[in-house]
Amino acid sequence: EQLGILDIPRATKISGSMFVMYRGWGARLLRAMVQLALDRNGDAFEEVRPPTLVLTDTMVSTGHLPKFEEEAYHIERDDLWAIPTAEVPLTSLHRDEVLDGAALPLRYTAHTSCFRREAGAAGKDTRGLLRTHEFDKVELLAVAGGAEQAVAAQEDILARSEALLRTLGLAYRVVDLCTGDLGGSAARTWDIEGYAPGV
């Protein structure tokens, strides 16, 4: 906020707590980071801009419901859900389709706004850019044929993500999540946690 790149008080005035407004160089930095991530992966991943609102069936089929129902934004009138991650619509691109195994893996990338209630989140970790209700994200997703191809695709995505953080000179760690923290459809998940002062 001291640099004039964030305007949290006005974001709160407009949308309530845990929303952020980027201004000036902050907005440019966010746009540049998104473009960098898309450009870095355009060699192997097809860029997609999926809808931000999805059907209940889409959330269920990707394992985000019912487990994360309390964290999601639901528009009851239309029975639509604001996506918590582009993983949801990307994973559903080929739902109910039979794919040609010779064409696999299929690789997709998407930049979307993502929405999470962060229900129960409170305290020092909710100030600033951590635990916000809306954030931009570039997702990488591969549709693989068989365990060997799936593991190779997941390792490639992890390597690409780490390479981007190293390019930016950011300190980070990779956390291999325990099974209790996995979504219903996940076999293995790595979280990459960037270092942030005070957290």
Side-chain angles (χ1 to χ4, degrees), residues 63-198:
H64 285 80
L65 289 179
K67 181 172 180 163
F68 300 113
E69 185 172 1
E70 292 302 311
E71 299 293 320
Y73 282 97
H74 184 221
I75 303 167
E76 291 183 27
R77 179 177 175 179
D78 302 304
D79 194 23
L80 292 170
W81 298 80
I83 60 170
T85 168
E87 174 189 335
V88 172
L90 290 180
T91 302
S92 289
L93 280 177
H94 299 290
R95 187 177 79 222
D96 300 328
E97 295 178 24
V98 176
L99 301 176
D100 178 3
L104 300 176
L106 301 173
R107 294 179 177 93
Y108 301 107
T109 184
H111 162 238
T112 60
S113 291
C114 301
F115 302 88
R116 298 183 188 173
R117 277 202 172 124
E118 297 295 351
K124 70 181 178 107
D125 290 355
T126 60
R127 182 141 171 80
L129 299 179
L130 214 57
R131 305 287 180 208
T132 59
H133 289 314
E134 178 184 4
F135 56 93
D136 284 44
K137 181 178 171 190
V138 173
E139 185 80 36
L140 297 176
L141 183 128
V143 179
E148 186 176 321
Q149 196 177 75
V151 169
Q154 189 177 28
E155 289 173 347
D156 175 55
I157 289 170
L158 178 63
R160 287 170 174 273
S161 301
E162 285 191 83
L164 186 60
L165 291 169
R166 283 194 301 273
T167 295
L168 295 169
L170 299 175
Y172 69 92
R173 69 179 179 179
V174 177
V175 179
D176 197 349
L177 297 185
C178 70
T179 55
D181 289 335
L182 297 180
S185 60
R188 186 173 191 183
T189 297
W190 288 297
D191 273 355
I192 299 177
E193 299 178 343
Y195 170 76

Side-chain angles (χ1 to χ4, degrees), residues 3-123:
L3 297 174
I5 61 176
L6 298 175
D7 191 341
I8 295 172
R10 286 189 178 92
T12 301
K13 176 174 72 172
I14 293 167
S15 300
S17 64
M18 296 173 68
F19 284 92
V20 175
M21 181 184 304
Y22 298 88
R23 297 189 67 159
W25 284 106
R28 289 181 188 100
L29 177 60
L30 178 61
R31 181 168 34 91
M33 297 272 293
V34 166
Q35 192 63 55
L36 176 64
L38 291 171
D39 289 348
R40 275 293 185 90
N41 296 293
D43 63 320
F45 290 76
E46 177 188 349
E47 186 175 344
V48 175
R49 180 50 176 101
T52 307
L53 300 174
V54 296
L55 299 168
T56 297
D57 286 349
T58 303
M59 291 284 282
V60 171
S61 69
T62 58
H64 285 80
L65 289 179
K67 181 172 180 163
F68 300 113
E69 185 172 1
E70 292 302 311
E71 299 293 320
Y73 282 97
H74 184 221
I75 303 167
E76 291 183 27
R77 179 177 175 179
D78 302 304
D79 194 23
L80 292 170
W81 298 80
I83 60 170
T85 168
E87 174 189 335
V88 172
L90 290 180
T91 302
S92 289
L93 280 177
H94 299 290
R95 187 177 79 222
D96 300 328
E97 295 178 24
V98 176
L99 301 176
D100 178 3
L104 300 176
L106 301 173
R107 294 179 177 93
Y108 301 107
T109 184
H111 162 238
T112 60
S113 291
C114 301
F115 302 88
R116 298 183 188 173
R117 277 202 172 124
E118 297 295 351

